[in-house]
Amino acid sequence: MLKELDLLYLWHPCTQMKDHEKIPLIPIKKAKGVWLYDFDDKAYMDCISSWWVNLFGHCNPRISNAIKAQLDKLEHILLAGFSHEGIIRLSQRLCHLSGFEKCFYADNGSSIIEVALKMSFHYHLNKGKKKNKFLSLTNSYHGETLGALSVGDVKLYKETYSPLFLEGLSTKAPSGKDYEEELKILKSTLEKHANSLCAFIIEPLVQCAGNMNMYHPNFLDEAIKLCHHFGVQVIFDEIAVGFGRTGKLFAMDYCREKPDYLCLSKGITGGFLPLAVVLVKNEIYNAFYAPYEENKAFLHSHSYTGNALATAAANEVLNIFEEENIVEKNAILSLFIKEKFETLKEFKFLTNFRQRGMIYAFDIKSEIPRAGLLIYEKALQKKLLLRPLGNTIYFMPPYVISKEEISYVVESLREIFKEFNP
Ligand SMILES: *Cc1c(COP(=O)(O)O)cnc(C)c1O
């Protein structure tokens, strides 16, 4: 049996493995669109885009074909001293779409956060300023490597490793429409500590792993103005919210002010292959551009940087955005999602209904320990893969989901909640 073999040889991410004594592990045989199929041909709807990476459905034929075509031409080469057409085109396109001027690549989200942190520190150093701290928001999440964890604030992932961290400061995250108090706190933090702060790192609009906390774009504009006034750079971590999730191509597009660094990953290849990028302006790039002897170069690298197969997938993802009017279509779909999910307000133990583009979330008020886990199990019985964050249930589907499938999700949840005793 595959399940037994799995548990014999695998150690799964983000899992207390002992839980699998009770919770079944589900090997998947194949997938198509929003559906995953196990070895008994049972179907599960991927309501969370497989950890927020999938944009256009599993085994999307356009992306599959783009990778297949690339596969027999060039699979991978080192990106130092050498280059390839796909990565050059992708970089040009990302710069044009975002207004940035240079792309630096890594192969997963946490790594690109490390890149942005190191780059910001090094930028100041090259400019003759010794700064060594980062500012982040409470309730933030930026990945699992040590630097990324240092600027994160989800206790569950972070607490154990706190003796290992970089020094940093945090400032209160806004929530909902209000942000005046949070701006004041940010301002006073900057007034006291700007001299030691390299950058303020922030997940724009939605703190996804932080229980889908959503806040107003004006906070971002004001925060960027304040940071720049105090000589502190701004890093936007759009790893989860980039590529249309928030209703625009980038969350940044809701802002008048622009960050100094834009980090992208997750959706960049449509969920097919790992790839990540940080975009910057030439002003930053130029701070590293000097005769070799001056020791100003950014000597960071990963073996799989700019992988040609991942790049082919990413270019096809951009083609799909351009040719299939995805952002416009999602605007209609997200209205439908809102209309359907809001009917769940009939249950008084469900609160804090919220939405930003293609992310919908609400909370369960419940005394049951690990209520989210209970919902996870009930949902599986109804063919839904949901993965609640604590007591927050969220819906973050691939963009190819149909209206019928959305209705099916909401009606299945209604049945679950009818039997649920909070
Ligand atoms: C997932 C995520 C990361 C980390 O990306 P990985 O590829 O999982 O390392 C960083 N920041 C945000 C906002 C994320 O959602």
Side-chain angles (χ1 to χ4, degrees), residues 98-137:
S98 66
F100 283 93
E101 293 165 325
K102 288 287 183 295
C103 293
F104 190 100
Y105 291 90
D107 32 57
N108 64 74
S110 304
S111 295
I112 210 66
I113 295 297
E114 303 290 335
V115 169
L117 297 176
K118 282 176 68 180
M119 215 179 245
S120 175
F121 165 82
H122 200 162
Y123 167 85
H124 291 292
L125 199 66
N126 282 352
K127 290 275 180 182
K129 286 205 194 88
K130 286 213 163 108
K131 295 179 161 209
N132 67 344
K133 291 194 183 74
F134 294 92
L135 181 63
S136 54
L137 285 182

Side-chain angles (χ1 to χ4, degrees), residues 52 113 135-143 148 151-154 173-174 200-217 219-220 234-242 246 251-252 255 261-263 266 359 389 396:
W52 322 338
I113 295 297
L135 181 63
S136 54
L137 285 182
T138 54
N139 190 48
S140 60
Y141 179 83
H142 297 291
V151 291
D153 186 38
V154 178
F200 179 33
I201 180 167
I202 184 166
E203 295 157 90
L205 298 181
V206 189
Q207 294 185 305
C208 292
N211 292 3
M212 298 292 164
N213 176 46
M214 301 185 186
Y215 62 89
H216 201 280
F219 175 78
L220 293 166
V234 177
I235 301 169
F236 267 20
D237 175 353
E238 293 213 25
I239 290 166
V241 297
T246 64
M252 181 185 77
C255 303
Y261 302 84
L262 177 66
C263 298
K266 291 207 164 99
I359 309 174
L389 293 153
M396 198 157 160

Side-chain angles (χ1 to χ4, degrees), residues 72-268:
D72 288 326
K73 254 193 295 186
L74 174 70
E75 81 302 347
H76 178 75
I77 49 153
L78 77 170
L79 202 65
F82 287 78
S83 194
H84 56 89
E85 189 179 353
I87 198 86
I88 296 166
R89 296 254 177 266
L90 179 65
S91 305
Q92 181 184 29
R93 295 172 84 180
L94 289 173
C95 284
H96 285 173
L97 287 167
S98 66
F100 283 93
E101 293 165 325
K102 288 287 183 295
C103 293
F104 190 100
Y105 291 90
D107 32 57
N108 64 74
S110 304
S111 295
I112 210 66
I113 295 297
E114 303 290 335
V115 169
L117 297 176
K118 282 176 68 180
M119 215 179 245
S120 175
F121 165 82
H122 200 162
Y123 167 85
H124 291 292
L125 199 66
N126 282 352
K127 290 275 180 182
K129 286 205 194 88
K130 286 213 163 108
K131 295 179 161 209
N132 67 344
K133 291 194 183 74
F134 294 92
L135 181 63
S136 54
L137 285 182
T138 54
N139 190 48
S140 60
Y141 179 83
H142 297 291
E144 300 293 338
T145 51
L146 287 173
L149 265 186
S150 303
V151 291
D153 186 38
V154 178
K155 213 170 133 198
L156 181 66
Y157 310 133
K158 171 161 181 161
E159 211 177 17
T160 312
Y161 307 101
S162 56
L164 304 177
F165 292 154
L166 302 174
E167 250 188 276
L169 290 165
S170 87
T171 183
K172 192 169 174 224
S175 193
K177 287 196 187 73
D178 300 329
Y179 55 86
E180 291 304 325
E181 186 206 338
E182 288 77 10
L183 271 182
K184 274 193 204 130
I185 300 173
L186 173 64
K187 184 156 183 258
S188 76
T189 308
L190 288 168
E191 276 165 349
K192 276 190 221 120
H193 302 283
N195 280 341
S196 65
L197 288 171
C198 302
F200 179 33
I201 180 167
I202 184 166
E203 295 157 90
L205 298 181
V206 189
Q207 294 185 305
C208 292
N211 292 3
M212 298 292 164
N213 176 46
M214 301 185 186
Y215 62 89
H216 201 280
N218 284 0
F219 175 78
L220 293 166
D221 277 321
E222 297 305 321
I224 293 175
K225 273 194 253 173
L226 275 175
C227 286
H228 286 168
H229 173 76
F230 283 99
V232 173
Q233 295 189 314
V234 177
I235 301 169
F236 267 20
D237 175 353
E238 293 213 25
I239 290 166
V241 297
F243 296 102
R245 265 301 156 199
T246 64
K248 295 188 190 264
L249 187 60
F250 302 116
M252 181 185 77
D253 300 339
Y254 284 89
C255 303
R256 289 180 304 276
E257 303 292 321
K258 296 294 166 212
D260 302 283
Y261 302 84
L262 177 66
C263 298
L264 302 169
S265 185
K266 291 207 164 99
I268 193 169

Side-chain angles (χ1 to χ4, degrees), residues 17 65-67 96 144 155 179 250 298 302 313 375 420:
M17 291 303 293
N65 287 334
I67 296 170
H96 285 173
E144 300 293 338
K155 213 170 133 198
Y179 55 86
F250 302 116
F298 191 61
H302 296 287
I375 299 297
F420 185 75

Side-chain angles (χ1 to χ4, degrees), residues 14 20 23-24 26 28 34-36 43-52 58 212 245 337 341 344 350 358-364 370-398 401 405-417 420:
C14 205
H20 281 307
I23 304 167
I26 308 168
I28 292 297
V34 298
W35 294 98
L36 313 178
Y44 304 90
M45 193 198 294
D46 188 351
C47 298
I48 58 164
S49 301
S50 280
W51 264 348
W52 322 338
H58 293 275
M212 298 292 164
R245 265 301 156 199
I337 290 172
F341 270 82
L344 295 175
L350 301 180
M358 291 298 284
I359 309 174
Y360 200 93
F362 55 87
D363 302 333
I364 321 174
R370 300 180 87 186
L373 187 63
L374 190 72
I375 299 297
Y376 169 80
E377 292 180 288
K378 298 263 181 234
L380 278 182
Q381 289 163 13
K382 302 217 180 276
K383 301 192 198 167
L384 302 179
L385 164 52
L386 292 169
R387 225 185 123 90
L389 293 153
N391 281 9
T392 297
I393 306 218
Y394 70 91
F395 181 61
M396 198 157 160
I401 194 165
E405 285 160 340
I406 294 165
S407 300
Y408 173 77
V409 173
V410 174
E411 292 322 310
S412 303
L413 282 171
R414 197 186 316 283
E415 286 169 26
I416 291 170
F417 291 133
F420 185 75

